[in-house]
Amino acid sequence: MRDGRITITQFIIEEQRRIEGATGDFTSLLNDVVTACKEISNLVNHGALIDVLGQAGTENVQGEDQKKLDVISNDVFLKTNEWSGHLAAMASEEMEEIYPIPRQYPRGKYLLTFDPLDGSSNIDVNVSVGTIFSILRCKGACQDPGAGDFLQAGTEQICAGYALYGPSTMMVLTTGNGVNGFTLDQNIGEFILTHPNLTIPAETREFAINTSNMRFWEPPVKRYVDECLSGTTGDRDKDFNMRWVASMVAEVHRILTRGGIFLYPMDEKMKASGGTGKLRLMYEANPMSFIVEQAGGMSSTGRERIMELQPSELHQRVPVILGSKQEVERVVEYHKEHDTNAAA
Ligand code: P6P
């Protein structure tokens, strides 16, 4: 492209050339996902001007009230990706069942999971929201795909990414060869490579957690956060800052850009209700973990590497502690010490 700017389309095609035997299917699929995110960006940016804010008056499989834009964004993803012949099926936070590609279209060898509008509780108050997606390969023929075809560990992902609808619209992608960030140039409607080789600093002074859950936290989480709050008066010998956007995409993007740790841990309230965490494994935790690990960070439940979890159900929830490697390692160590003492 002119004056050395690289578009996301050119970047993806050049990435494809690195892959032995690549047929272009994946490149075409990824371009369709990018198109869906551009359309969602346009809807989000217009907001109240086009009557897409507010409640949809329905609930999703998670029992959460859906915003109009949750439903609209989900539909954009389905309609933009169903016809291409690259996918066998899709799965979304907004749909209880998987979405097999309709019979009038050819079916392909890939599976797409997505949260079409993550953090949508922010949309009516004009705070950043995003889209998260993950691409898996069918293990079998996948001609009659079911939920079981999606239940693959995070290490099986061939691509993960997010779009962040913030002051600027950005896309961040990994295909297992590092992490790259692109900014939407509204003048030409193309994403331009602006953040090559994003890397998470190993150290940080910034933590993100919803402190309203403090009374439910497990001891290792309480210990970690208390030390951050004690700052130079405590064991850490440095002061920390805190953030909580209630939009995982915004938190992860901040961490990719300047370091940090994000925690949505298991807690006693979740345990009491038989819960297994807040965030969803297949279309939040796994794609974000792939990106974070590829950027040199770490992602754990506190007790296990998220990317190695074997999913048991499509909308499974997990505890998430991710970000700067040294901080996540510390939290994991505190869980180990606690569990060892508890077992003794
Ligand atoms: P809380 C948004 O609903 C989300 O799934 C993540 O994007 C975000 O980090 C988290 O939940 C916010 O949860 O309990 O603070 O509303």
Side-chain angles (χ1 to χ4, degrees), residues 64 93 115 118-121 210 213 244 246-249 251 262 264 278-280 284:
E64 297 163 340
E93 174 182 307
D115 180 356
D118 179 67
S120 56
S121 61
N210 182 339
N213 297 319
W244 190 252
S247 172
M248 187 185 194
V249 176
E251 314 276 10
F262 168 89
Y264 215 115
K278 155 87 180 192
L279 301 178
R280 278 61 52 148
E284 289 175 326

Side-chain angles (χ1 to χ4, degrees), residues 114-175:
F114 53 91
D115 180 356
L117 203 66
D118 179 67
S120 56
S121 61
N122 285 324
I123 196 75
D124 292 349
V125 294
N126 203 25
V127 170
S128 298
V129 292
T131 297
I132 309 170
F133 68 90
S134 168
I135 300 175
L136 295 162
R137 200 179 270 109
C138 286
K139 290 301 185 196
C142 244
Q143 278 314 304
D144 188 17
D149 292 300
F150 285 84
L151 301 184
Q152 301 179 37
T155 48
E156 297 300 309
Q157 295 173 99
I158 61 167
C159 176
Y162 61 77
L164 175 60
Y165 313 115
S168 62
T169 289
M170 285 194 67
M171 280 208 81
V172 170
L173 287 179
T174 185
T175 55

